[in-house]
Amino acid sequence: KKIEAESRKMLLKKTKKMPLYETQTLKIYNSLSGEKETFKPIHEGNVGMYVCGPTVYSNVHLGNVRTFMSFDVIFRYFLHLDYKTRYVRNITDVGHIVDDVDEGEDKIAKKARLEQLEPMEVVQRYTVDFHEILNAFNFLPPSIEPTATGHIIEQIEIIKTIIDKGIGYEANGSVYFDVVKFNKTNHYGRLSGRNIEDMLANTRDLDGQSDKRNPQDFALWKKAEPQHIMRWPSPWSDGFPGWHLECTAMSTKYLGNHFDIHGGGMDLKFPHHECEIAQNEACTGQTPVNYWMHANMLTLNGKKMAKSTGNNILPREILTGDNTILSKAFSASVARFFMLQAHYRSILDFSDDAIVAAEKGYKRLMEAMNLLKQITVNTKSTIDVQAWQQSCYDAMNDDFNTPILIAQLFEGVKYINLLNDGKEALSAADLQLFTKAMNAFIFDVLGLEDEKESDSNNDKLEGTVNMLIEMRKQARDNKNFALSDQIRDQLITLGIQLKDGKEGTTFSVQ
């Protein structure tokens, strides 16, 4: 890899283009140290990044989209800086228990039973949904997207190694990781700021945990009960791997025992990522990751999102407008722009007022970009384009600070308006640099798309349907129910659902 990096640098020198990462100093907030640290990849010019992917037993929720969007922008920025980046994001399709304890019901198997499907039908359905949503939001695909079921052999081999090291033990066909024994030579809990003594003191005994030596021990392999659908043969029993093991197996297989970045949602810091560190260190004797990154949560109208309370909205429902939360449908780029207005480590509250405001900002940005195409050149510049461009880099170099970047881009919008009014001027070279930078940060790094044509079509559709709603209302007022029903039924055949309510009639596109 070192030789490869040097070869690439020599090639870039020959073409008179140095890699951008050599001119920028990137700092990343490391959850392990609790500080911003200067990013130094293990192999110069190369970045290895692993992000925990979805468990595919239901439609991907908005909080997941926000987390994956944060790492999509991080991936995009590494590529923009000319790093050769391997981004690995897994699919959890194994059907194990995804919880803080090792008991409970397998979510994929539960869904399969409720819908009378094979587990892999559930997996396929929601993996397709996941990809469709991420494509709609203009995510770049990861370099590798491995599945947990495709790496059962690797997981079994890791368990064997942990047992051989004396840190894993078998009990009635299941295998557990001995946290207390591991902690004698390592620090279990340092990522989440916990210590094992407090955890043991505050842990209540749970039914079904009698096979464990200690309450904090976690499953590496679980023996499958007769009713458990998804199972694989192993040296210990027919069963399935523990939740934490798959990410250890897939991250190390594709990035090595020691790699640059591991990311995920804040909720995964404990126990999932803590257990990953323990498994890796037990196997290799070294810390697996240099920079741990965690994206914060998304709330809805100031409260935690939950299906049980009705305070919930799916990404697809934002795009169709088929929900009771928002006043209308919003494009994927508007929703993306809204999310990137907050730093990835900050809690973000989603509401109708907030996304309406974001739509206005997004349209201002796109209008300015279209106006930029009409700007003419002058012989002398009155704007310091290089200083402005570096301010954009400074924002992203400060732990990928997208809200500060967006603020700098709106400084660029001010420049465009001043240029258009003839109050500022740019030379041909500076106009080229300015245009290139605006396009790079808006479209390549932030991943926004100009949806002007799409918005225009949406406005025309909305106007047409509202006209038909008014015609239907007049027909009902005139007691012409046949015409009223005909309008409703023909709209349904076109995939447009009318909803009558106290505030009047609204519509959604199916």
Side-chain angles (χ1 to χ4, degrees):
K1 285 187 177 179
K2 187 175 181 181
I3 294 170
E4 186 179 316
E6 289 298 324
S7 299
R8 189 162 64 255
K9 278 175 66 178
M10 287 177 65
L11 180 62
L12 288 166
K13 282 179 182 177
K14 286 179 181 179
T15 58
K16 296 182 180 180
K17 183 192 174 188
M18 292 299 292
L20 270 173
Y21 61 76
E22 289 201 350
T23 67
Q24 304 297 325
T25 301
L26 171 62
K27 290 196 171 184
I28 295 176
Y29 182 85
N30 191 346
S31 298
L32 197 60
S33 66
E35 297 178 354
K36 288 180 186 176
E37 301 176 6
T38 300
F39 177 67
K40 293 181 180 178
I42 295 168
H43 303 287
E44 186 180 350
N46 293 266
V47 176
M49 180 170 72
Y50 184 90
V51 173
C52 295
T55 302
V56 283
Y57 68 94
S58 65
N59 298 106
V60 61
H61 63 75
L62 200 58
N64 286 144
V65 170
R66 191 214 174 179
T67 294
F68 299 133
M69 187 180 295
S70 298
F71 289 101
D72 179 62
V73 170
I74 289 166
F75 179 38
R76 286 171 173 273
Y77 191 57
F78 278 129
L79 294 175
H80 176 74
L81 291 179
D82 298 319
Y83 280 109
K84 183 179 180 182
T85 309
R86 177 176 288 178
Y87 174 24
V88 184
R89 186 187 66 214
N90 73 298
I91 295 286
T92 295
D93 62 344
V94 106
H96 48 56
I97 288 79
V98 181
D99 208 339
D100 284 2
V101 296
D102 299 311
E103 308 307 316
E105 187 164 18
D106 165 2
K107 292 183 178 182
I108 291 175
K110 179 181 179 180
K111 192 78 169 184
R113 190 183 73 251
L114 290 173
E115 298 191 11
Q116 295 185 319
L117 299 170
E118 282 289 329
M120 281 303 160
E121 285 183 88
V122 173
V123 165
Q124 180 68 11
R125 173 184 296 176
Y126 294 113
T127 300
V128 169
D129 171 76
F130 175 67
H131 288 148
E132 287 178 350
I133 292 298
L134 266 55
N135 287 339
F137 281 84
N138 197 32
F139 283 52
L140 295 179
S143 314
I144 304 173
E145 192 174 52
T147 63
T149 53
H151 296 78
I152 298 294
I153 293 172
E154 289 85 349
Q155 293 177 73
I156 289 173
E157 290 304 310
I158 289 172
I159 296 171
K160 289 179 181 177
T161 301
I162 293 173
I163 291 173
D164 290 343
K165 295 287 181 73
I167 307 297
Y169 60 91
E170 181 186 355
N172 296 323
S174 294
V175 181
Y176 296 96
F177 188 96
D178 193 327
V179 170
V180 172
K181 191 169 183 180
F182 171 78
N183 198 62
K184 289 178 181 178
T185 54
N186 302 76
H187 181 187
Y188 179 80
R190 71 180 182 275
L191 177 66
S192 55
R194 306 171 188 226
N195 68 71
I196 190 68
E197 290 79 14
D198 290 343
M199 284 189 274
L200 290 171
N202 294 325
T203 302
R204 60 188 175 87
D205 289 330
L206 295 171
D207 292 337
Q209 288 194 333
S210 57
D211 288 343
K212 296 183 180 182
R213 293 176 183 171
N214 311 289
Q216 290 298 326
D217 293 353
F218 57 88
L220 298 171
W221 187 266
K222 288 289 288 183
K223 180 181 180 181
E225 298 299 325
Q227 69 274 15
H228 199 97
I229 306 171
M230 301 183 81
R231 58 174 68 214
W232 292 265
S234 79
W236 313 284
S237 64
D238 274 7
F240 51 95
W243 171 26
H244 318 298
L245 194 62
E246 61 174 283
C247 288
T248 295
M250 289 183 278
S251 63
T252 55
K253 176 167 183 175
Y254 298 110
L255 298 174
N257 291 335
H258 186 204
F259 55 96
D260 296 303
I261 296 171
H262 194 314
M266 197 76 76
D267 57 321
L268 297 180
K269 188 183 288 187
F270 186 88
H272 185 52
H273 291 160
E274 203 73 75
C275 295
E276 277 193 67
I277 292 174
Q279 289 168 163
N280 279 73
E281 291 184 350
C283 282
T284 67
Q286 62 177 317
T287 185
V289 178
N290 282 355
Y291 304 88
W292 284 90
M293 301 182 68
H294 292 93
N296 217 324
M297 64 185 291
L298 186 72
T299 58
L300 180 59
N301 291 324
K303 298 177 182 177
K304 184 178 179 180
M305 283 196 289
K307 289 181 183 178
S308 57
T309 62
N311 194 51
N312 185 62
I313 186 169
L314 292 173
R316 199 182 299 277
E317 292 171 343
I318 296 172
L319 308 182
T320 63
D322 187 16
N323 62 81
T324 59
I325 305 290
L326 303 178
S327 56
K328 63 170 190 170
F330 293 89
S331 72
S333 266
V334 167
R336 185 178 179 106
F337 179 73
F338 162 74
M339 291 191 196
L340 296 179
Q341 286 181 307
H343 190 267
Y344 77 90
R345 287 193 289 114
S346 301
I347 293 174
L348 174 62
D349 187 52
F350 186 84
S351 68
D352 186 60
D353 288 345
I355 196 168
V356 166
E359 185 177 50
K360 291 176 183 176
Y362 164 80
K363 286 183 176 179
R364 268 186 65 206
L365 201 56
M366 293 303 122
E367 286 165 5
M369 291 305 292
N370 286 306
L371 189 60
L372 181 57
K373 298 171 186 176
Q374 303 169 26
I375 301 298
T376 56
V377 299
N378 289 270
T379 55
K380 187 178 179 182
S381 296
T382 58
I383 298 170
D384 189 342
V385 174
Q386 290 187 338
W388 168 82
Q389 182 189 44
Q390 188 56 49
S391 71
C392 293
Y393 279 113
D394 290 344
M396 287 302 290
N397 291 338
D398 183 18
D399 192 31
F400 311 98
N401 201 322
T402 55
I404 299 299
L405 171 61
I406 289 170
Q408 294 302 327
L409 292 172
F410 277 110
E411 282 296 308
V413 171
K414 286 183 186 177
Y415 295 152
I416 292 169
N417 290 327
L418 291 169
L419 290 164
N420 186 59
D421 294 339
K423 296 177 181 178
E424 298 283 2
L426 284 179
S427 67
D430 278 349
L431 179 59
Q432 184 181 18
L433 177 63
F434 180 66
T435 303
K436 182 180 178 182
M438 285 290 286
N439 277 283
F441 284 109
I442 292 172
F443 301 118
D444 297 340
V445 175
L446 293 182
L448 300 175
E449 294 181 293
D450 189 350
E451 298 177 335
K452 184 178 179 182
E453 184 178 339
S454 167
D455 289 343
S456 174
N457 290 338
N458 286 339
D459 290 342
K460 290 175 184 175
L461 172 65
E462 187 173 351
T464 303
V465 175
N466 284 334
M467 180 182 68
L468 290 168
I469 288 172
E470 181 60 29
M471 290 173 60
R472 177 171 174 263
K473 180 179 181 299
Q474 290 176 7
R476 294 173 78 179
D477 290 343
N478 295 329
K479 300 189 185 302
N480 188 350
F481 298 113
L483 177 58
S484 169
D485 292 345
Q486 183 183 6
I487 292 171
R488 180 200 63 204
D489 294 343
Q490 288 190 359
L491 284 173
I492 288 174
T493 62
L494 295 171
I496 298 170
Q497 177 79 47
L498 299 185
K499 292 190 290 186
D500 295 316
K502 292 180 181 179
E503 305 298 322
T505 301
T506 58
F507 75 92
S508 61
V509 181
Q510 305 298 314

